[in-house]
Structures are given as structure tokens and as C-alpha cells.
């Protein structure tokens, strides 16, 4: 019986993906801060990657800091996205719905396939941690920029 259980456990273990077995830390200050790609953002945006080698298999993760007036382009996520607002106040909008305010301490869930944008308000900075899981190797589809007319209409 003991042998049976042991071989069942072994069979189970060998069919699972090879997850990392040690904790990984993305140490602050190791990866340089980079500017947001101007094809994907309007205004001044800084990105600090937070992924570790193993976590990067499952989701993109980063701290994104928006200057006043800065925002993402319109985009969708094939497997959704979590936003954790760490500093300031900002705006998020789902296409066809009003702009909504988000502030430090808020957690936001963007459902899969929903066209949206997020960014600072026009008067204040906003930073959020974004966790964006992959589906079939992709975690975002970028669309057109958010015009000032859309951004400021609320
Ligand atoms: Mn998003």
C-alpha cells in the first residue's frame, strides 16, 4: 500500500509543470527604471519591472508611474489584469462607460477582453502595480491612443 501511494504521488508529481522550488525576489533597484513606450502611452510614464524569472512565465508584473495627464493607450488583456494603486489618484475607463476615479489603496480588476485605459488624473500623479497574466503567450493587445477629448470628458 505504501508503495502504491508513493508511486501515485510520484506519477502526480511528474505530470505537473516544473515549477520553481525556491522563492525568488525581484530586488528593488536591480533592474533600471525605463520609460513607457510612446506607442503605448501618452505623457510621462515610468515602468519598473517586478517579475522574477519564474513568475514571468505566468504574468507580467510591474510598477507603473504616471505623471499628471499621462495614460495608457486603449488596450485589452486576453486573461484580464489586476491593478493595485499605490500612490496618488487616477482614472480608469471601460469603453462605453464613464471614467472612474481610482486612488491609493484601491484594487482594480480588468476582465479579459474588455477595452479600457488607465492613467493619472490631469492634476495628480498615480502609480499602480499591474499584474497581467498570459494567455497563449500574450497578455496585452495595444490599440489607439486616448485622445485629450476622451481623457478630459468626465
Ligand atoms: Mn490594462
Amino acid at each position: 500500500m505504501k508503495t502504491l501511494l508513493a508511486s501515485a504521488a510520484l506519477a502526480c508529481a511528474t505530470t505537473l509543470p516544473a515549477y520553481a522550488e525556491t522563492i525568488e525576489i525581484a530586488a528593488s533597484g536591480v533592474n533600471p527604471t525605463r520609460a513607457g513606450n510612446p506607442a503605448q502611452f501618452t505623457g510621462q510614464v515610468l515602468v519598473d519591472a517586478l517579475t522574477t524569472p519564474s513568475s514571468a512565465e505566468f504574468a507580467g508584473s510591474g510598477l507603473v508611474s504616471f505623471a499628471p495627464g499621462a495614460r495608457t493607450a486603449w488596450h485589452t488583456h486576453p486573461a484580464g489584469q489586476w491593478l493595485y494603486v499605490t500612490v496618488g489618484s487616477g482614472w480608469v475607463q471601460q469603453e462605453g462607460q464613464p471614467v472612474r476615479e481610482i486612488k491609493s489603496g484601491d484594487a482594480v480588476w480588468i476582465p479579459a477582453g474588455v477595452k479600457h485605459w488607465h492613467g493619472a488624473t490631469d492634476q495628480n500623479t498615480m502609480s499602480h502595480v499591474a499584474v497581467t497574466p498570459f494567455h497563449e503567450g500574450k497578455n496585452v493587445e495595444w490599440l489607439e491612443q486616448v485622445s485629450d477629448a476622451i481623457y478630459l470628458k468626465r
Side-chain angles (χ1 to χ4, degrees), residues 72 75-77 81 83 110 116-118 140:
T72 68
H75 60 286
T76 61
H77 302 290
Q81 180 181 53
L83 302 176
I110 310 291
H116 70 288
W117 62 269
H118 30 106
V140 60

Side-chain angles (χ1 to χ4, degrees), residues 22-142:
T22 50
I23 290 171
E24 295 173 343
I25 296 175
S28 179
V30 169
N31 294 314
T33 302
R34 57 185 174 80
N37 182 338
Q40 300 163 354
F41 298 94
T42 296
Q44 187 188 342
V45 177
L46 298 174
V47 180
D48 287 282
L50 297 174
T51 49
T52 65
S54 296
S55 71
E57 296 174 25
F58 307 105
S61 182
L63 172 66
V64 189
S65 302
F66 300 84
R71 66 272 190 180
T72 68
W74 287 101
H75 60 286
T76 61
H77 302 290
Q81 180 181 53
W82 289 272
L83 302 176
Y84 302 101
V85 184
T86 56
V87 173
S89 60
W91 291 327
V92 61
Q93 185 178 26
Q94 177 172 343
E95 187 181 44
Q97 296 191 7
V99 172
R100 298 172 70 178
E101 184 159 348
I102 52 178
K103 62 187 188 309
S104 177
D106 290 348
V108 180
W109 167 245
I110 310 291
V114 164
K115 183 175 174 180
H116 70 288
W117 62 269
H118 30 106
T121 68
D122 59 342
Q123 298 292 315
N124 291 99
T125 62
M126 188 275 285
S127 298
H128 63 48
V129 170
V131 179
T132 317
F134 286 100
H135 176 69
E136 295 176 350
K138 287 193 68 176
N139 70 353
V140 60
E141 180 171 357
W142 291 105

